[in-house]
Amino acid sequence: AQSVTQLGSHVSVSEGALVLLRCNYSSSVPPYLFWYVQYPNQGLQLLLKYTTGATLVKGINGFEAEFKKSETSFHLTKPSAHMSDAAEYFCAVNNAGNNRKLIWGLGTSLAVNP
Amino acid sequence: GAVVSQHPSRVICKSGTSVKIECRSLDFQATTMFWYRQFPKKSLMLMATSNEGSKATYEQGVEKDKFLINHASLTLSTLTVTSAHPEDSSFYICSADKGGSEAFFGQGTRLTVV
């Protein structure tokens, strides 16, 4: 079975500071890993994904994440937070098979302080 | 691009009535669509997987007769909340699969049952 753990339901950073949102997963098969962002009362937007190949993936809005198999982690980072980054962030995994159901973390709410 | 349109974005209905939510893939054909429910400050809960031309597969604990899903074409899936009650009030989100590794999400529907 697959699972996703996001450490920290709430993260607060100052504008311009480093953003680090943690995600650990468990999977018995090679995982596909995703980070999505959700703004209030909106759907989800893909930030970035890892499927195969390069383990450091770059996404939209300056975000990136590194797949570390040995640590079963896929942490999301951004060097310098912007006020507009305040949102809910979800990490998800699927098994890349025919049943492409996403398994979701509980989400991390990011607050950016001026 | 891959755009998924969900309608309506907000709906208020009286207790005991039924509400239909539409999920359309605008520029691609979606053999599989997923319906989620999201409680306040919570992660997404997968309700069902909808495949074109066949019956939806419901997750454990989701009432099939209450949440009717129809996937009549490759671009449209509908979720009907029957005999709605206040506890059905929630944010409902659909996603569509175009065969790759990524799911594309609708904007969500805020349902309020009064």
Side-chain angles (χ1 to χ4, degrees):
Chain A
Q2 295 176 304
S3 67
V4 176
T5 302
Q6 288 183 241
L7 293 175
S9 58
H10 297 277
V11 171
S12 182
V13 300
S14 298
E15 191 174 17
L18 170 72
V19 175
L20 171 60
L21 304 183
R22 300 178 185 275
C23 174
N24 288 88
Y25 70 92
S26 68
S27 178
S28 58
V29 297
Y32 282 5
L33 293 156
F34 306 82
W35 275 100
Y36 284 87
V37 61
Q38 183 182 33
Y39 297 98
N41 291 310
Q42 294 188 28
L44 281 80
Q45 180 182 14
L46 180 69
L47 279 176
L48 48 79
K49 64 180 179 182
Y50 168 79
T51 55
T52 59
T55 56
L56 180 63
V57 291
K58 295 185 184 298
I60 62 172
N61 302 339
F63 284 94
E64 63 181 38
E66 185 171 11
F67 169 58
K68 291 188 176 180
K69 185 178 179 180
S70 61
E71 298 177 9
T72 60
S73 69
F74 191 58
H75 301 331
L76 181 71
T77 61
K78 181 174 180 177
S80 178
H82 192 273
M83 297 295 288
S84 60
D85 294 327
E88 192 80 19
Y89 292 81
F90 293 97
C91 181
V93 62
N94 72 14
N95 61 15
N98 290 329
N99 178 16
R100 282 193 287 267
K101 288 196 299 187
L102 286 166
I103 308 300
W104 296 88
L106 294 180
T108 297
S109 179
L110 175 65
V112 181
N113 306 310
Chain B
V3 180
V4 175
S5 177
Q6 194 172 334
H7 179 80
S9 59
R10 291 178 178 271
V11 59
I12 301 173
C13 71
K14 291 184 177 180
S15 187
T17 62
S18 295
V19 174
K20 180 184 285 187
I21 302 170
E22 293 186 347
C23 180
R24 294 181 183 273
S25 56
L26 298 184
D27 52 2
F28 66 98
Q29 294 183 329
T31 53
T32 304
M33 290 185 174
F34 301 88
W35 286 96
Y36 296 88
R37 182 173 178 175
Q38 185 178 33
F39 294 95
K41 305 296 184 182
K42 295 291 185 182
S43 186
L44 286 79
M45 181 192 80
L46 179 65
M47 299 174 66
T49 302
S50 168
N51 293 296
E52 186 268 337
S54 63
K55 291 183 178 180
T57 301
Y58 289 81
E59 295 298 303
Q60 190 173 8
V62 178
E63 297 178 61
K64 301 178 183 181
D65 295 332
K66 179 160 192 65
F67 298 101
L68 298 179
I69 291 173
N70 183 277
H71 195 156
S73 76
L74 287 171
T75 59
L76 174 63
S77 177
T78 60
L79 167 67
T80 302
V81 182
T82 62
S83 186
H85 290 282
E87 56 265 31
D88 299 324
S89 298
S90 194
F91 194 59
Y92 293 87
I93 306 176
C94 72
S95 72
D97 186 338
K98 62 184 291 189
S101 59
E102 178 183 347
F104 299 91
F105 287 82
Q107 308 95 313
T109 297
R110 172 73 61 192
L111 170 63
T112 303
V113 185
V114 297

